[in-house]
Amino acid sequence: MARIFGTDGVRGLANGQLTAELALDLSVSAAHVLADLGEFSGHRPLAVVGRDTRISGQFLEAAVVSGLASAGVDVLLLGVLPTPGVAFLTGSLGADLGVMLSASHNPMPDNGIKFLARGGVKLDDAIEVAIEKRMGEPWQRPTGGAVGRVSVHPTAVDEYAAHLVSTIGHPLDGLTIVLDCAEGAAHAAGPQALRGAGAEVIAIHADPDGLNINDGCGSTHLEPLRAAVLQHGADAGFALDGDSDRCLAVDHEGNVVDGDQILAVLSLSLRDQGRLAKDTVVVTVMSNLGFVQAMKAHQVGVRQTKVGDRYVLEAMRVGGYTLGGEQSGHVIMSEYATTGDGILTALHVMQRMAATGKSLQALAGVVVRLPQVLVNVRDVDKARADEDAVLAAAVAEEEAALDDRGRVLLRPSGTEEMVRVMVEAPTLDEAEAVAGRLADVVKAQLSL
């Protein structure tokens, strides 16, 4: 049977692959697995449940709550709240389990279920496997007072926003910013936190109706943010995604500031405060070479991992690092959060602006991005990509020609029969030429 859990929980078309029945069964099984692991021993178990603004989150929330309560777990409903907010309250409220209903930046018809362990951290893969295996098994149902109670936690947004404000030490007075809330989970918490820190906030796409999440807005569609920043003469703009675990930005002239540049700004800020553990930042192999070169020039180490925030988190945990993230704007500041947090990211970038008196454009300018070209070569045998001698020789030849002026990365897709060819070079023409030549070799050598 194909695995139900993916790299970021369970995700799919709501009421298609992701049904109320599946949500209920997963919740019951999760309660049983955690109980058998001793996570509930000695006390009455407690779970917190949050969701984004998708209309399907309402019936999925009802199913999850029904499953947990029927298994004897008390439930606190957090309502609409960002994923990092659910993670924070899982820890601050001493809950045994956190549940977030969201499909992040995916289109509205999709939804997802993410389980968080005590402290607001992602469940271990082994626990997810155990949850899958025990779905649908016979069980002794509690009755009477042993069933779970369900109540609403009405101050969830206020507590989370207050936590975010408490993480910065310099007021944001005098800064005017535009915040694109993506019609998503941060439509209330985002503006509240940034205003609480002293900024003047112009919130856009902050009127969700259950259907418009991520629809032409947020971190995957930066054009409305750029237009709003220019229209209002704002100092900067920040765009969140549907569950607010990532953030991208634009400067006062509307230029895009990507995750690499944001990480550079935060790396130097934390380093100057003596809070960048081991003076090192963790990123994936997809980070632009210009970022790596900029960090080297400023004596900041760079630890690179495979693509995926789970690998960044693992490297941070093992190495004891405090900052990591991806080019997509998924930034993890482990001193304050257990997952990526777009609002937190925006606050700390703004704090750097306020503390230095520099524009976001000037701060982000530390990174000179090399032109990057990505070619997806489809319908090839990706399993042979790492062992084909002709392809390896072609890559080596192109890398030798680029020398330290650029780089080549061939990466098999994790979900499709496809190989991704990524090339960075001093000019776009050179990057496109190298990528085209290598794509032709991939097709010739790996065709199905």
Side-chain angles (χ1 to χ4, degrees):
M1 183 182 74
R3 282 216 48 193
I4 297 174
F5 283 93
T7 57
D8 197 25
V10 178
R11 194 174 292 185
L13 179 64
N15 227 23
Q17 300 99 332
L18 184 54
T19 63
E21 294 86 352
L22 177 60
L24 190 149
D25 289 347
L26 278 168
S27 302
V28 169
S29 184
H32 291 164
V33 169
L34 293 175
D36 287 353
L37 289 172
E39 296 296 316
F40 301 161
S41 60
H43 65 281
R44 190 175 176 91
L46 173 67
V48 296
V49 179
R51 59 182 175 87
D52 69 20
T53 55
R54 296 165 212 266
I55 191 171
S56 60
Q58 297 174 348
F59 82 76
L60 289 172
E61 176 188 70
V64 167
V65 170
S66 295
L68 293 173
S70 71
V73 178
D74 290 339
V75 180
L76 283 180
L77 294 175
L78 304 180
V80 173
L81 196 68
T83 292
V86 174
F88 166 70
L89 287 170
T90 300
S92 68
L93 295 173
D96 302 287
L97 178 67
V99 186
M100 179 64 188
L101 302 169
S102 177
S104 190
H105 56 280
N106 281 29
M108 179 276 296
D110 290 347
N111 215 322
I113 303 175
K114 181 187 295 185
F115 293 109
L116 302 168
R118 188 179 290 123
V121 299
K122 185 182 183 296
L123 287 183
D124 289 341
D125 289 349
I127 296 179
E128 290 183 344
V129 170
I131 290 172
E132 286 190 21
K133 287 182 176 178
R134 295 188 58 177
M135 288 176 62
E137 69 177 7
W139 57 292
Q140 185 65 42
R141 300 170 185 268
T143 57
V147 301
R149 295 175 181 268
V150 181
S151 55
V152 174
H153 190 65
T155 57
V157 170
D158 293 340
E159 292 174 34
Y160 172 52
H163 159 68
L164 292 171
V165 174
S166 74
T167 68
I168 65 170
H170 194 291
L172 307 182
D173 300 345
L175 287 178
T176 299
I177 64 100
V178 178
L179 182 67
D180 186 338
C181 300
E183 309 289 9
H187 75 278
Q192 181 171 326
L194 271 59
R195 288 174 181 141
E200 181 178 341
V201 180
I202 301 159
I204 64 174
H205 300 123
D207 189 23
D209 61 10
L211 305 175
N212 56 6
I213 186 171
N214 298 325
D215 187 9
C217 57
S219 62
T220 54
H221 301 86
L222 294 177
E223 296 81 7
L225 178 64
R226 296 176 64 187
V229 167
L230 295 174
Q231 175 189 347
H232 294 283
D235 295 298
F238 297 90
L240 310 172
D241 65 342
D243 70 336
S244 188
D245 67 352
R246 66 179 66 189
C247 169
L248 292 178
V250 300
D251 65 24
H252 68 285
E253 293 184 347
N255 301 304
V256 174
V257 178
D258 69 9
D260 285 341
Q261 293 168 298
I262 288 172
L263 282 164
V265 172
L266 295 177
S267 295
L268 298 182
S269 177
L270 292 174
R271 194 273 311 275
D272 290 351
Q273 298 173 56
R275 302 173 79 165
L276 183 65
K278 304 180 182 179
D279 285 345
T280 297
V281 59
V282 181
V283 296
T284 75
V285 293
M286 288 301 291
S287 277
N288 193 279
L289 181 59
F291 167 82
V292 178
Q293 293 171 339
M295 292 298 93
K296 182 178 180 180
H298 286 81
Q299 292 79 51
V300 172
V302 177
R303 167 84 162 83
Q304 291 187 283
T305 74
K306 293 192 291 185
V307 176
D309 66 280
R310 65 185 302 166
Y311 301 112
V312 173
L313 274 166
E314 176 66 13
M316 291 177 67
R317 184 187 66 79
V318 172
Y321 303 115
T322 51
L323 179 67
E326 297 180 281
Q327 198 177 55
S328 63
H330 193 275
V331 175
I332 304 158
M333 304 182 74
S334 63
E335 186 176 357
Y336 311 113
T338 59
T339 184
D341 190 324
I343 307 171
L344 181 71
T345 299
L347 278 169
H348 282 260
V349 170
M350 293 167 66
Q351 176 178 240
R352 182 65 166 176
M353 294 169 63
T356 61
K358 294 181 178 180
S359 68
L360 178 56
Q361 184 178 84
L363 293 171
V366 69
V367 176
V368 179
R369 289 178 293 188
L370 272 68
Q372 186 181 85
V373 172
L374 179 65
V375 177
N376 294 322
V377 186
R378 301 180 183 276
D379 301 321
V380 293
D381 184 0
K382 64 182 181 182
R384 294 191 286 121
D386 294 331
E387 57 189 41
D388 186 90
V390 173
L391 180 57
V395 170
E397 182 180 351
E398 298 289 0
E399 287 179 328
L402 285 170
D403 195 19
D404 60 355
R405 302 177 305 114
R407 67 182 181 123
V408 173
L409 177 66
L410 261 67
R411 185 169 65 89
S413 168
T415 58
E416 303 176 68
E417 285 300 328
M418 178 170 68
V419 172
R420 305 185 193 278
V421 180
M422 191 277 284
V423 177
E424 290 170 351
T427 68
L428 181 60
D429 286 346
E430 186 174 4
E432 288 178 338
V434 174
R437 289 194 294 268
L438 288 176
D440 289 342
V441 178
V442 171
K443 291 174 187 175
Q445 293 302 118
L446 307 182
S447 292
L448 293 172

